[in-house]
Amino acid sequence: MSDILEIFMSASFWAAAIRIATPLIFGVIGALICERAGVLNLGIEGIFTAGAMAGWMAVWLGAGLWGGVLVAALAGGFFGLIHAVLTVPLGLSQHVSGIGVTLFATSLSYFIYRTALPDVSSPPRIEAFQSLDIPVLSDLPFLGPALFQQTPLTFLALFLVAATAYVLYRTPLGLAIQAVGDNPAAVESQGLSVYGLRIGAIVAGSAIMALGGAFLTMSAFDAFFFGMVNGRGWICIALTVFASWRPGKALLGALLFGAFDAFQVRLQTEVGSFIPGQVFLMMPYILSIAALIVVARRADYPRALLVPYFKGQR
Amino acid sequence: MARPAKDAPVLLRLDGITKRFGALTANDGVCLDLKQGEILALLGENGAGKTTLMNILFGHYVADEGAVLVSRDGGEPAQLEPGSPHAALDARIGMVHQHFTLAENLSVLDNILLGTEKISALKSARTPARSKLEDLMTRSGLTVGLDMRVSQLSVGEKQRVEILKALYRDARVLVLDEPTAVLTPQESDTLFAILKKLAAAGLGIIFISHKLAEVMASSHRIAVLRGGAKVADLPTDACSQRQLAELMVGHEVSETVRDARTPGATLFILTGISAGEGREALYDVDLDLKSGEILGIAGVSGNGQTMLAQVISGLETPVAGEMRLEGSAFSHANARMMIDAGLARIPEDRHRDGIVGAMTVSENLAIETIRKPDCQRFGLLRFTAMRDKAKAMIDAYDIRCQGEDSPARLLSGGNIQKIVLARTLEGEPKVVLAAQPSRGLDVGATSEVYRRLLDARARGAGVLLISEDLDELMRLSDRIAVIHRGHLSAAEPTETLDRGTLGLRMAGHTMEAAE
């Protein structure tokens, strides 16, 4: 028992939780923006992969780290645009289009990687983001190593949570996005463009999702592997429901998941000798399903989610 | 009522508007003028093209021919860019749609602000908007809590928000599509009082309606549309209700009359029924229906009528109370047991609950009797027998369709209702449950529904008529009970009731307060 308590007392546990949560924060914020505008984006898993590959490759080709981040966002925006065109003006099934985007983006990323590096046995490495040294805060006892020794992308993710909340609740653009996900007719009758808002939200949301992928290859690791996204995108879709489409709760959900994951790794080393490791790997997923069951039954879905809008149709 | 000055400037002109949807001509060369300070009623049956015309005016549709001209700041009317709600808003036209266009997840204030600010602005200017709105609310009498979430508002309040939206944008022309469809009589009166005040302050107002009484009472001028064309444009004080009805329908209309008759024995009893929870719940409902009578249930939508209909048709199990049909208890019945016991159900939402759209007319007609031997043998459907029966019913009930094999979803609302009537009344049911049976139907289909219900009554069936339309209830029912927030009042003979009393009760005033 005291061993378990010790896990929570260690600064490295909290630092790991935040690190694991970072790509999820990007993903859930991106998914939330799309869904607030009324479009489910199941392209997220592929967009993660595309962001991871594109960002890494840009840096490997010499673009510099922030150049890589930009390239990743552009790649995400590109796949978002495909999804947006299929689901918004054409009004196709958002599920089918999203899965299609995931398959396409994943395969294309692998293809480009393999074509560019046909015969490497171990993935080439880049010089990844290093953790930021913030004066005073990083040097605080316990809190410093627990909270303030992260890479710049983690701070970007936290900034995006605040920025999304501000835009959504305090600006005319945010009101319009909330309205278009609830009742597009309200938006059109007020003279705004339903298609413009939805396409814009999907492209922006997808660009943010891709940063989650970029974090994996440019911050958490320093190379690109096949299958490295490993379901993180799908977790973000679940976390969006868990968060009731609110940025603050989205951050909380991502951190909670990160904490579960960090905890199971440490628990494995404590009691791993008599329970198979896979049980621990399952734990964060089981816990997030449990959390969803508790929260999502009362979830306040955007009313127009999944419903395509056609101008002039009754 | 006070008319606008003769020389009042023209605010809006529709010039020869024609709109076709495939083979259907929804608007056929319609010309219309609206003056400052005028209330114009646009009268017509369903499908006459009223809403299409207003949607063209507001830029939701583009007209195939003709133009919309709007006067800006008192100048000569100039053409409005077609197909752009944005242009219509800029020209200070405000529209209140029949189905409200509000984002339910936002506050009242945010709904009104939506689209009025530059989309790239870094902050919504809520404070100045709030003071402008408070001023508008005091001047117009349209009060509503600005910080309420729209999902918490009543229907009447939502409509006020819609009007405020237009006023906030300094509308000079206000268009309302069927504004009283969802209001109690009292709320309607308040609405028209406010509209008169706004017209006196210089707005031009167009409201769409098919209710003759309110058109007569609250407009300066009436334009009648029929089959997409304008057939009359008259000052209100030169019209009579009868003349308007004939203009609307295109031929003389016969009034459906209920003959006096003594009801028979008690057929169907509810005692102390409670069901559901929340807004649509029922609390301790007592009801008795006699053979050969029509019992009206009056009430504004959303006061428990839906739950009452669900319980009676066996789709919802009550948590307490007892339901008896001809003496046998049916409190835990399912839908099939109720049908077999002789209940005919005309559902409220005929498109969703009345038909299966993808199935054919003949299949839809057979759907409730599918287990009877004339529809199936050894578990196999007898399609020829079903078709023959369908053909006979299509003739008898005048169902206009492309034949018994066409998909039911292609039929108009009136003809879908005729399918429901044919199917449910064919088996000579003992109890007919008719929920909002004429909602959304035109005059012709409505009189057909009335005739069939009165026929059932004459045959000795008990008819339970759930409706929001007081005229309909007063005309058809022998007795009327009022439902409000899940409580049902005792039924009283129609002769002892008047519209005012019923309206007050529908709004929740108790009987003592009404007197």
Side-chain angles (χ1 to χ4, degrees):
Chain A
M1 208 54 217
S2 67
D3 293 344
I4 292 175
L5 247 159
E6 225 165 79
I7 293 177
F8 290 108
M9 296 298 287
S10 77
S12 76
F13 165 75
W14 293 105
I18 295 173
R19 192 171 58 243
I20 295 166
T22 300
L24 303 177
I25 297 172
F26 282 117
V28 70
I29 288 293
L32 180 149
I33 292 172
C34 297
E35 291 183 28
R36 275 289 184 150
V39 181
L40 176 70
N41 190 350
L42 293 183
I44 185 167
E45 185 79 8
I47 289 170
F48 258 75
T49 313
M53 204 288 295
W56 172 85
M57 184 156 281
V59 178
W60 186 67
L61 293 172
L65 284 168
W66 288 107
V69 170
L70 183 68
V71 169
L74 288 175
F78 166 75
F79 287 106
L81 188 62
I82 295 178
H83 185 58
V85 169
L86 291 175
T87 54
V88 179
L90 297 179
L92 301 181
S93 157
Q94 296 176 9
H95 291 107
V96 175
S97 165
I99 302 233
V101 167
T102 281
L103 295 174
F104 177 50
T106 307
S107 314
L108 189 66
S109 305
Y110 291 173
F111 174 74
I112 291 174
Y113 179 80
R114 261 288 163 249
T115 316
L117 303 156
D119 34 37
V120 289
S121 51
S122 69
R125 297 174 180 282
I126 57 167
E127 193 68 38
F129 277 110
Q130 297 303 309
S131 58
L132 220 51
D133 201 12
I134 307 173
V136 188
L137 289 179
S138 299
D139 303 329
L140 290 175
F142 188 77
L143 284 181
L147 304 179
F148 299 105
Q149 291 182 5
Q150 301 286 349
T151 65
L153 285 182
T154 300
F155 295 108
L156 177 65
L158 296 174
F159 167 77
L160 277 174
V161 173
T164 306
Y166 180 84
V167 169
L168 215 47
Y169 299 123
R170 292 272 179 265
T171 67
L173 177 65
L175 293 186
I177 290 174
Q178 287 190 62
V180 83
D182 186 81
N183 184 359
V187 169
E188 189 182 301
S189 70
Q190 291 286 64
L192 297 170
S193 160
V194 173
Y195 290 178
L197 281 165
R198 285 194 165 168
I199 293 174
I202 299 168
V203 170
S206 303
I208 293 175
M209 290 170 185
L211 297 183
F215 174 85
L216 294 177
T217 47
M218 297 165 62
S219 218
F221 306 100
D222 50 10
F224 178 77
F225 314 98
F226 292 154
M228 76 185 304
V229 174
N230 193 19
R232 284 184 177 84
W234 307 136
I235 287 293
C236 291
I237 296 292
L239 284 177
T240 313
V241 183
F242 174 81
S244 305
W245 294 269
R246 294 180 169 277
K249 283 191 183 172
L251 174 64
L252 183 75
L255 288 174
L256 214 57
F257 188 91
F260 286 154
D261 209 12
F263 179 65
Q264 64 89 7
V265 173
R266 282 159 181 76
L267 199 61
Q268 257 184 81
T269 57
E270 299 287 340
V271 286
S273 46
F274 28 132
I275 306 174
Q278 286 80 356
V279 172
F280 297 99
L281 287 176
M282 274 183 344
M283 209 176 67
Y285 300 95
I286 290 175
L287 284 176
S288 38
I289 290 171
L292 259 184
I293 290 169
V294 174
V295 176
R297 281 163 54 94
R298 302 189 308 266
D300 198 5
Y301 279 80
R303 281 192 308 151
L305 185 61
L306 298 177
V307 186
Y309 182 76
F310 299 106
K311 188 176 154 75
Q313 194 178 71
R314 278 178 283 181
Chain B
M1 85 192 238
R3 294 188 47 75
K6 270 260 177 318
D7 55 350
V10 171
L11 288 180
L12 175 80
R13 176 167 291 158
L14 300 181
D15 189 11
I17 299 282
T18 298
K19 174 75 184 170
R20 296 183 196 90
F21 293 107
L24 177 83
T25 305
N27 288 139
D28 190 0
V30 179
C31 298
L32 209 59
D33 272 3
L34 178 70
K35 286 183 182 165
Q36 188 169 6
E38 185 176 44
I39 302 183
L40 170 70
L42 198 56
L43 184 70
E45 292 208 283
N46 289 302
K50 301 169 302 215
T51 301
T52 307
L53 189 65
M54 291 303 110
N55 278 333
I56 289 170
L57 162 63
F58 195 66
H60 286 311
Y61 299 155
V62 180
D64 297 322
E65 288 161 37
V68 179
L69 300 123
V70 185
S71 139
R72 286 169 207 258
D73 311 314
E76 272 299 295
Q79 186 166 354
L80 187 69
E81 182 194 337
S84 163
H86 193 80
L89 289 168
D90 267 357
R92 296 167 69 181
I93 298 172
M95 181 143 176
V96 177
H97 295 81
Q98 187 180 2
H99 302 288
F100 299 141
T101 55
L102 296 171
E104 305 236 329
N105 57 351
L106 298 183
S107 70
V108 170
L109 182 64
D110 288 349
N111 262 284
I112 294 170
L113 271 177
L114 183 65
T116 61
E117 300 176 288
K118 251 182 86 171
I119 198 87
S120 57
L122 287 178
K123 196 169 190 312
S124 271
R126 290 185 171 113
T127 320
R130 187 184 295 273
S131 52
K132 177 173 177 181
L133 277 166
E134 271 159 7
D135 182 43
L136 271 175
M137 290 198 291
T138 21
R139 275 193 288 138
S140 64
L142 293 155
T143 43
V144 56
L146 290 177
D147 295 313
M148 301 267 281
R149 254 174 79 119
V150 167
S151 55
Q152 300 171 317
L153 300 184
S154 73
V155 178
E157 289 172 315
K158 286 184 189 170
Q159 189 174 57
R160 270 178 252 158
V161 178
E162 290 279 12
I163 299 174
L164 277 172
K165 257 163 73 176
L167 297 182
Y168 181 76
R169 287 172 176 258
D170 303 315
R172 299 177 71 211
V173 174
L174 185 63
V175 180
L176 300 107
D177 190 358
E178 302 265 3
T180 60
V182 289
L183 302 182
T184 61
Q186 274 74 15
E187 283 176 319
S188 304
D189 291 345
T190 317
L191 171 69
F192 283 118
I194 287 169
L195 293 185
K196 282 172 193 166
K197 208 162 153 186
L198 293 173
L203 253 72
I205 296 174
I206 302 179
F207 77 92
I208 295 179
S209 179
H210 61 243
K211 294 182 190 164
L212 296 171
E214 69 183 33
V215 164
M216 292 290 294
S218 309
S219 67
H220 297 122
R221 198 152 59 84
I222 300 172
V224 184
L225 288 186
R226 186 173 73 229
K230 189 172 87 172
V231 292
D233 191 338
L234 301 160
T236 305
D237 32 29
C239 303
S240 74
Q241 284 210 26
R242 191 166 187 87
Q243 175 198 6
L244 287 174
E246 286 174 16
L247 281 166
M248 240 165 98
V249 186
H251 54 79
E252 274 191 46
V253 277
S254 55
E255 288 269 301
T256 323
V257 229
R258 168 172 55 95
D259 53 344
R261 51 179 295 136
T262 327
T266 300
L267 197 61
F268 184 62
I269 305 175
L270 299 185
T271 2
I273 292 279
S274 298
E277 51 186 37
R279 287 185 61 181
E280 266 288 334
L282 288 181
Y283 305 100
D284 199 16
V285 165
D286 295 325
L287 175 155
D288 66 295
L289 177 67
K290 297 187 178 65
S291 150
E293 78 161 349
I294 296 185
L295 172 60
I297 308 281
V300 182
S301 270
N303 273 295
Q305 295 97 322
T306 309
M307 183 59 72
L308 180 63
Q310 299 275 83
V311 167
I312 293 175
S313 37
L315 294 169
E316 186 83 35
T317 309
V319 290
E322 196 185 48
M323 182 157 88
R324 282 182 177 274
L325 204 165
E326 288 190 312
S328 350
F330 278 97
S331 303
H332 294 280
N334 62 26
R336 175 175 301 149
M337 286 159 73
M338 292 311 295
I339 291 173
D340 290 346
L343 177 91
R345 164 173 171 258
I346 300 169
E348 179 179 338
D349 185 341
R350 64 185 77 95
H351 293 268
R352 200 188 66 194
D353 301 331
I355 58 158
V356 182
M359 286 165 61
T360 67
V361 171
S362 87
E363 286 166 337
N364 271 289
L365 283 168
I367 217 160
E368 275 180 27
T369 47
I370 208 89
R371 295 180 333 136
K372 302 251 170 72
D374 49 346
C375 285
Q376 57 106 11
R377 193 161 34 190
F378 314 124
L380 295 175
L381 289 175
R382 299 172 59 189
F383 281 105
T384 322
M386 276 162 59
R387 276 204 199 92
D388 290 343
K389 207 171 142 198
K391 275 184 204 151
M393 282 156 97
I394 285 170
D395 284 344
Y397 284 80
D398 187 27
I399 301 169
R400 309 236 169 106
C401 60
Q402 304 253 323
E404 69 279 5
D405 288 330
S406 58
R409 73 184 144 79
L410 298 182
L411 273 62
S412 72
N415 284 301
I416 287 175
Q417 190 70 321
K418 286 180 194 165
I419 292 186
V420 175
L421 287 172
R423 178 176 74 211
T424 54
L425 299 181
E426 198 55 19
E428 310 223 320
K430 299 188 186 103
V431 173
V432 179
L433 169 68
Q436 320 286 0
S438 69
R439 181 189 274 174
L441 300 185
D442 59 28
V443 175
T446 302
S447 73
E448 174 71 11
V449 170
Y450 290 174
R451 194 167 69 79
R452 295 286 173 186
L453 294 180
L454 288 171
D455 282 354
R457 168 179 177 262
R459 196 168 46 69
V463 179
L464 200 62
L465 173 64
I466 299 177
S467 177
E468 308 177 281
D469 183 342
L470 285 182
D471 294 322
E472 167 173 304
L473 286 162
M474 305 279 293
R475 193 188 300 175
L476 295 179
S477 320
D478 297 280
R479 291 183 299 148
I480 299 179
V482 177
I483 191 164
H484 181 255
R485 301 228 168 125
H487 297 276
L488 187 70
S489 74
E492 291 172 47
T494 308
E495 288 68 33
T496 65
L497 294 163
D498 60 60
R499 289 176 55 90
T501 326
L502 285 173
L504 282 172
R505 286 187 197 165
M506 281 163 77
H509 295 264
T510 56
M511 281 148 222
E512 298 78 52
E515 277 151 18

PDB file of all heavy atoms in Angstrom, chain B residues 227-242:
ATOM      1  N   GLY B 227     -52.814  27.976 -54.679  1.00  0.00           N
ATOM      2  CA  GLY B 227     -52.050  27.284 -55.714  1.00  0.00           C
ATOM      3  C   GLY B 227     -50.875  28.107 -56.208  1.00  0.00           C
ATOM      4  O   GLY B 227     -50.509  28.051 -57.374  1.00  0.00           O
ATOM      5  N   GLY B 228     -50.277  28.910 -55.319  1.00  0.00           N
ATOM      6  CA  GLY B 228     -49.089  29.659 -55.678  1.00  0.00           C
ATOM      7  C   GLY B 228     -49.378  31.039 -56.249  1.00  0.00           C
ATOM      8  O   GLY B 228     -48.470  31.862 -56.384  1.00  0.00           O
ATOM      9  N   ALA B 229     -50.644  31.308 -56.627  1.00  0.00           N
ATOM     10  CA  ALA B 229     -50.946  32.616 -57.219  1.00  0.00           C
ATOM     11  C   ALA B 229     -51.730  33.473 -56.239  1.00  0.00           C
ATOM     12  O   ALA B 229     -52.460  32.956 -55.389  1.00  0.00           O
ATOM     13  CB  ALA B 229     -51.743  32.429 -58.498  1.00  0.00           C
ATOM     14  N   LYS B 230     -51.580  34.795 -56.384  1.00  0.00           N
ATOM     15  CA  LYS B 230     -52.366  35.687 -55.533  1.00  0.00           C
ATOM     16  C   LYS B 230     -53.755  35.819 -56.135  1.00  0.00           C
ATOM     17  O   LYS B 230     -53.897  36.201 -57.292  1.00  0.00           O
ATOM     18  CB  LYS B 230     -51.680  37.054 -55.438  1.00  0.00           C
ATOM     19  CG  LYS B 230     -52.328  37.964 -54.405  1.00  0.00           C
ATOM     20  CD  LYS B 230     -51.524  39.219 -54.178  1.00  0.00           C
ATOM     21  CE  LYS B 230     -51.932  40.271 -55.194  1.00  0.00           C
ATOM     22  NZ  LYS B 230     -51.315  41.576 -54.889  1.00  0.00           N
ATOM     23  N   VAL B 231     -54.787  35.473 -55.362  1.00  0.00           N
ATOM     24  CA  VAL B 231     -56.142  35.516 -55.910  1.00  0.00           C
ATOM     25  C   VAL B 231     -56.943  36.687 -55.358  1.00  0.00           C
ATOM     26  O   VAL B 231     -58.014  36.983 -55.864  1.00  0.00           O
ATOM     27  CB  VAL B 231     -56.913  34.202 -55.634  1.00  0.00           C
ATOM     28  CG1 VAL B 231     -56.310  33.065 -56.434  1.00  0.00           C
ATOM     29  CG2 VAL B 231     -56.931  33.871 -54.165  1.00  0.00           C
ATOM     30  N   ALA B 232     -56.443  37.346 -54.324  1.00  0.00           N
ATOM     31  CA  ALA B 232     -57.157  38.508 -53.802  1.00  0.00           C
ATOM     32  C   ALA B 232     -56.199  39.346 -52.975  1.00  0.00           C
ATOM     33  O   ALA B 232     -55.231  38.835 -52.432  1.00  0.00           O
ATOM     34  CB  ALA B 232     -58.331  38.071 -52.937  1.00  0.00           C
ATOM     35  N   ASP B 233     -56.463  40.637 -52.926  1.00  0.00           N
ATOM     36  CA  ASP B 233     -55.669  41.567 -52.126  1.00  0.00           C
ATOM     37  C   ASP B 233     -56.631  42.660 -51.685  1.00  0.00           C
ATOM     38  O   ASP B 233     -56.961  43.543 -52.451  1.00  0.00           O
ATOM     39  CB  ASP B 233     -54.530  42.128 -52.998  1.00  0.00           C
ATOM     40  CG  ASP B 233     -53.517  42.897 -52.151  1.00  0.00           C
ATOM     41  OD1 ASP B 233     -53.885  43.347 -51.047  1.00  0.00           O
ATOM     42  OD2 ASP B 233     -52.372  43.044 -52.603  1.00  0.00           O
ATOM     43  N   LEU B 234     -57.150  42.552 -50.477  1.00  0.00           N
ATOM     44  CA  LEU B 234     -58.279  43.381 -50.059  1.00  0.00           C
ATOM     45  C   LEU B 234     -58.011  44.058 -48.718  1.00  0.00           C
ATOM     46  O   LEU B 234     -57.321  43.492 -47.881  1.00  0.00           O
ATOM     47  CB  LEU B 234     -59.519  42.488 -49.872  1.00  0.00           C
ATOM     48  CG  LEU B 234     -60.000  41.674 -51.072  1.00  0.00           C
ATOM     49  CD1 LEU B 234     -60.880  40.540 -50.590  1.00  0.00           C
ATOM     50  CD2 LEU B 234     -60.732  42.573 -52.049  1.00  0.00           C
ATOM     51  N   PRO B 235     -58.575  45.229 -48.517  1.00  0.00           N
ATOM     52  CA  PRO B 235     -58.537  45.805 -47.166  1.00  0.00           C
ATOM     53  C   PRO B 235     -59.373  44.931 -46.239  1.00  0.00           C
ATOM     54  O   PRO B 235     -60.426  44.432 -46.652  1.00  0.00           O
ATOM     55  CB  PRO B 235     -59.193  47.182 -47.325  1.00  0.00           C
ATOM     56  CG  PRO B 235     -59.455  47.371 -48.767  1.00  0.00           C
ATOM     57  CD  PRO B 235     -59.281  46.077 -49.486  1.00  0.00           C
ATOM     58  N   THR B 236     -58.877  44.740 -45.009  1.00  0.00           N
ATOM     59  CA  THR B 236     -59.535  43.789 -44.115  1.00  0.00           C
ATOM     60  C   THR B 236     -60.988  44.148 -43.855  1.00  0.00           C
ATOM     61  O   THR B 236     -61.839  43.266 -43.802  1.00  0.00           O
ATOM     62  CB  THR B 236     -58.768  43.729 -42.782  1.00  0.00           C
ATOM     63  OG1 THR B 236     -57.425  43.429 -43.081  1.00  0.00           O
ATOM     64  CG2 THR B 236     -59.332  42.671 -41.879  1.00  0.00           C
ATOM     65  N   ASP B 237     -61.281  45.459 -43.714  1.00  0.00           N
ATOM     66  CA  ASP B 237     -62.666  45.787 -43.358  1.00  0.00           C
ATOM     67  C   ASP B 237     -63.636  45.568 -44.520  1.00  0.00           C
ATOM     68  O   ASP B 237     -64.832  45.685 -44.344  1.00  0.00           O
ATOM     69  CB  ASP B 237     -62.779  47.211 -42.765  1.00  0.00           C
ATOM     70  CG  ASP B 237     -61.764  48.143 -43.367  1.00  0.00           C
ATOM     71  OD1 ASP B 237     -61.397  47.888 -44.535  1.00  0.00           O
ATOM     72  OD2 ASP B 237     -61.328  49.098 -42.708  1.00  0.00           O
ATOM     73  N   ALA B 238     -63.112  45.208 -45.703  1.00  0.00           N
ATOM     74  CA  ALA B 238     -64.003  44.896 -46.814  1.00  0.00           C
ATOM     75  C   ALA B 238     -64.206  43.395 -46.976  1.00  0.00           C
ATOM     76  O   ALA B 238     -64.781  42.948 -47.965  1.00  0.00           O
ATOM     77  CB  ALA B 238     -63.463  45.504 -48.108  1.00  0.00           C
ATOM     78  N   CYS B 239     -63.709  42.570 -46.036  1.00  0.00           N
ATOM     79  CA  CYS B 239     -63.778  41.107 -46.199  1.00  0.00           C
ATOM     80  C   CYS B 239     -64.733  40.496 -45.184  1.00  0.00           C
ATOM     81  O   CYS B 239     -64.944  41.037 -44.104  1.00  0.00           O
ATOM     82  CB  CYS B 239     -62.427  40.453 -45.935  1.00  0.00           C
ATOM     83  SG  CYS B 239     -61.113  41.068 -46.948  1.00  0.00           S
ATOM     84  N   SER B 240     -65.246  39.331 -45.533  1.00  0.00           N
ATOM     85  CA  SER B 240     -65.940  38.522 -44.537  1.00  0.00           C
ATOM     86  C   SER B 240     -65.222  37.184 -44.441  1.00  0.00           C
ATOM     87  O   SER B 240     -64.530  36.780 -45.376  1.00  0.00           O
ATOM     88  CB  SER B 240     -67.397  38.298 -44.959  1.00  0.00           C
ATOM     89  OG  SER B 240     -67.436  37.358 -46.018  1.00  0.00           O
ATOM     90  N   GLN B 241     -65.401  36.507 -43.299  1.00  0.00           N
ATOM     91  CA  GLN B 241     -64.715  35.222 -43.113  1.00  0.00           C
ATOM     92  C   GLN B 241     -65.110  34.218 -44.184  1.00  0.00           C
ATOM     93  O   GLN B 241     -64.278  33.502 -44.717  1.00  0.00           O
ATOM     94  CB  GLN B 241     -65.082  34.637 -41.742  1.00  0.00           C
ATOM     95  CG  GLN B 241     -64.381  35.318 -40.605  1.00  0.00           C
ATOM     96  CD  GLN B 241     -64.152  34.348 -39.447  1.00  0.00           C
ATOM     97  OE1 GLN B 241     -64.075  33.149 -39.635  1.00  0.00           O
ATOM     98  NE2 GLN B 241     -64.020  34.890 -38.244  1.00  0.00           N
ATOM     99  N   ARG B 242     -66.395  34.209 -44.524  1.00  0.00           N
ATOM    100  CA  ARG B 242     -66.894  33.238 -45.487  1.00  0.00           C
ATOM    101  C   ARG B 242     -66.248  33.467 -46.859  1.00  0.00           C
ATOM    102  O   ARG B 242     -65.788  32.542 -47.514  1.00  0.00           O
ATOM    103  CB  ARG B 242     -68.414  33.379 -45.565  1.00  0.00           C
ATOM    104  CG  ARG B 242     -69.012  32.263 -46.320  1.00  0.00           C
ATOM    105  CD  ARG B 242     -70.509  32.117 -46.170  1.00  0.00           C
ATOM    106  NE  ARG B 242     -70.829  30.876 -46.851  1.00  0.00           N
ATOM    107  CZ  ARG B 242     -70.791  29.695 -46.271  1.00  0.00           C
ATOM    108  NH1 ARG B 242     -70.503  29.606 -44.994  1.00  0.00           N
ATOM    109  NH2 ARG B 242     -71.075  28.604 -46.955  1.00  0.00           N
TER     110      ARG B 242
END
